[in-house]
Amino acid sequence: MAVVEVDRVGLAGAQVTVLGMARSGVAACRLLQEAGARVTVADRKEAGDLAAVLEQIDRSCVRINVGAGYESALEQADLVVISPGVPYRMEALERVRRRGVKVISELELASRFLSAPILAVTGTNGKSTTVTLIGKMLTEQGKRAFVGGNLGTALSEAAWTALQAAKQGQSEPFDYLAVEVSSFQLETVDRFHPWVAAILNVTVDHQDRYDSIDEYLAAKQRIFENQTAADFALFNLDDARVAALRSRVRAKRLGFSRTQEIGADLDGGTWLDGETIVTTVTGTRQEICRRSDIRMLGHHNVENVMAAATYAVLWGCPLDVIRRVVSAFPGLEHALELVRERRGVRFVNDSKGTNVDATLKALEGIDHPIWLIAGGRDKGGDFSRLTDAVRRRVKHVILIGEAAPLLRQAWAGATAMSEAASLRDAVEFAAREASAGDVVLMSPACASFDMFRDYQDRGRQFKAAVHALPA
């Protein structure tokens, strides 16, 4: 079979297989259809398990290949587009590459249809909060913004809207694209080119996908791969792994830090000077806001605010707009979300705390005695890294899920521990035992898939259990 070089212009008539029928796969399918490609969707799950997803696809003009034998959909493809959950090194994809056929992410596909500046954010933790802040600053200023990517709406939805506008002779409908980017999406980028890109932090995560943290970091680093001297690369200088990357980019180098002033070796940055967040990214020192203006809980959210403010200053957002957003934004659902205060006890939902470092940041960011609900499906995390914080900050741990024995072993002797058969039982136990001034924190340090559909389902069940408690 002849190798076909497929790009945005050449998609019409090309045979494209979309592998993985999650949200981004459906969006990619829709975009490819609009571009005139002949689309096949494939997934290892059976049709019955994909019924709700398949209802979103026009089956009259899209081939469906699911369940046993789904890999045959790759055999005649001119291009393969994979969803983030599909391992890019699976043998079926290696065979595709050996034929000379490109395998790209949905993110890469979508970016080829977009000309507005991309504001991209990756990192182990804080991506969703930072991108949401950026989006709110854009909207508050009156900019036409897309906010999504790995967060919420797939980038292919923005690309579909832009393609529709182009067909009608209109300009692109967005001034800026604020995009959360995962390491999985970055594994197969080719031309993805953000105007501003940041790595917020890199800590041990997804060790069920990567052989080492260096491999995980290499995937994250690809966010800078296609940047030029006209672009900006932003680094968390308090993260040694991230800070070490700043000499490896072609873009202008910026930093942010809670602990140090930005040095002359960078082109500017944003940092915490006492209790004031200041920035020099425009060449002059400007005061963004006071730390006390930030409504969100946790020291890590100071970093997220600094990162978002850096983007905002770069596109020319007025400082009063930045301050308004920071002082009003309560944080994301499931990310240190205050659910209820009952009898002097606050209940906090941190279901997005799916890894060790996210939970560590939650513990270090709360200055009250904590009743910690933790556990779920282990992703290969080193739970012993939490032992010291558990010893110092946690009055009692309530363990749930598959990883409960691992957590009990890692934290033996650090504090009192109990186990609960369900999340509701854990909430009710904590509510009975906690005292006024305590915080009941669900920050699991684990994935949710042993007991729940996803972390959102886990968080909402936690909130339902909390609200069900009698006054």
Side-chain angles (χ1 to χ4, degrees):
M1 176 178 169
V3 173
V4 180
E5 179 66 25
V6 181
D7 58 17
R8 169 181 172 176
V9 176
L11 280 170
Q15 178 62 55
V16 183
T17 295
V18 177
L19 185 58
M21 292 313 301
R23 168 177 49 86
S24 62
V26 172
C29 176
R30 186 172 178 230
L31 173 60
L32 288 162
Q33 284 183 270
E34 191 66 29
R38 293 178 293 141
V39 183
T40 300
V41 296
D43 197 293
R44 68 188 302 172
K45 294 180 182 177
E46 298 294 338
D49 298 324
L50 296 167
V53 174
L54 294 176
E55 286 177 2
Q56 303 173 52
I57 295 172
D58 183 357
R59 303 183 69 165
S60 66
C61 53
V62 175
R63 291 178 57 202
I64 309 294
N65 193 332
V66 297
Y70 76 99
E71 292 181 0
S72 64
L74 303 170
E75 292 173 1
Q76 301 300 316
D78 299 320
L79 176 72
V80 177
V81 178
I82 62 174
S83 296
V86 175
Y88 78 107
R89 293 181 296 187
M90 62 186 286
E91 177 55 32
L93 293 177
E94 295 292 355
R95 291 196 296 270
V96 167
R97 293 186 186 95
R98 287 195 290 268
R99 288 197 290 113
V101 173
K102 281 190 177 295
V103 177
I104 64 173
S105 63
E106 174 270 335
L107 177 85
E108 169 68 28
L109 171 73
S111 69
R112 298 183 181 188
F113 291 82
L114 297 161
S115 59
I118 294 174
L119 310 172
V121 179
T122 194
T124 305
N125 300 302
K127 300 184 295 295
S128 297
T129 297
T130 302
V131 168
T132 301
L133 280 168
I134 291 169
K136 289 185 176 296
M137 292 170 188
L138 286 165
T139 302
E140 183 75 13
Q141 193 184 352
K143 299 294 185 182
R144 300 171 303 162
F146 167 82
V147 183
N150 191 56
L151 161 73
T153 307
L155 188 60
S156 285
E157 296 289 356
W160 183 88
T161 302
L163 183 55
Q164 287 278 298
K167 287 184 173 182
Q168 297 169 19
Q170 301 170 358
S171 60
E172 185 167 318
F174 307 106
D175 295 316
Y176 294 94
L177 303 145
V179 184
E180 177 185 322
V181 183
S182 73
S183 59
F184 296 172
Q185 291 172 312
L186 288 167
E187 289 165 353
T188 49
V189 294
D190 184 32
R191 306 178 203 168
F192 178 66
H193 181 179
W195 174 53
V196 189
I199 301 181
L200 301 179
N201 45 65
V202 172
T203 55
V204 176
D205 196 14
H206 299 302
Q207 293 306 291
D208 50 349
R209 174 100 164 203
Y210 298 106
D211 292 335
S212 67
I213 193 168
D214 290 336
E215 186 179 47
Y216 175 49
L217 179 62
K220 293 287 190 191
Q221 188 180 349
R222 297 198 69 189
I223 197 170
F224 306 122
E225 191 168 287
N226 296 307
Q227 287 191 299
T228 70
D231 304 316
F232 295 91
L234 176 62
F235 303 89
N236 181 353
L237 302 184
D238 297 335
D239 185 308
R241 292 188 184 95
V242 173
L245 300 177
R246 64 188 186 272
S247 62
R248 306 179 192 176
V249 299
R250 292 185 294 274
K252 296 180 183 70
R253 298 171 302 144
L254 305 174
F256 69 91
S257 172
R258 280 195 302 116
T259 64
Q260 59 185 288
E261 185 173 339
I262 304 302
D265 59 318
L266 295 177
D267 295 302
T270 304
W271 70 96
L272 188 62
D273 184 1
E275 291 298 306
T276 302
I277 295 176
V278 300
T279 187
T280 57
V281 298
T282 62
T284 58
R285 179 185 167 107
Q286 296 173 286
E287 294 190 359
I288 301 292
C289 66
R290 300 281 294 173
R291 179 173 181 161
S292 58
D293 294 333
I294 300 172
R295 185 174 171 187
M296 296 179 288
L297 295 172
H299 303 310
H300 61 288
N301 277 320
V302 177
E303 298 174 359
N304 296 334
V305 166
M306 288 192 290
T310 302
Y311 281 75
V313 172
L314 285 171
W315 79 65
C317 185
L319 297 183
D320 65 314
V321 170
I322 299 174
R323 294 185 193 111
R324 281 202 303 273
V325 170
V326 167
S327 62
F329 184 55
L332 295 179
E333 186 181 18
H334 313 303
L336 283 178
E337 174 192 12
L338 179 60
V339 176
R340 181 183 179 187
E341 185 164 339
R342 173 186 178 269
R343 302 177 186 176
V345 177
R346 288 185 291 174
F347 292 79
V348 176
N349 168 27
D350 193 45
S351 188
K352 275 180 70 71
T354 61
N355 58 62
V356 167
D357 280 273
T359 297
L360 181 60
K361 289 182 178 182
L363 294 177
E364 295 290 0
I366 295 175
D367 295 323
H368 296 273
I370 296 169
W371 290 71
L372 174 65
I373 300 174
R377 177 159 293 170
D378 176 30
K379 296 194 294 181
D382 179 4
F383 299 118
S384 67
R385 294 179 53 237
L386 286 164
T387 304
D388 181 61
V390 167
R391 180 179 294 110
R392 289 184 290 106
R393 294 181 174 270
V394 177
K395 287 177 70 172
H396 198 108
V397 173
I398 308 167
L399 300 171
I400 61 173
E402 293 175 355
L406 296 174
L407 295 173
R408 181 177 287 279
Q409 180 179 9
W411 301 341
T415 192
M417 284 186 276
S418 304
E419 292 191 31
S422 69
L423 181 56
R424 180 173 291 275
D425 288 348
V427 169
E428 291 175 352
F429 176 82
R432 287 195 305 270
E433 301 298 327
S435 305
D438 291 350
V439 172
V440 176
L441 168 69
M442 182 186 68
S443 188
C446 295
S448 58
F449 305 120
D450 57 337
M451 299 169 70
F452 309 94
R453 288 194 305 275
D454 48 34
Y455 77 84
Q456 293 100 327
D457 179 39
R458 177 171 62 190
R460 287 165 189 154
Q461 289 198 37
F462 173 78
K463 292 194 289 183
V466 170
H467 287 303
L469 295 170

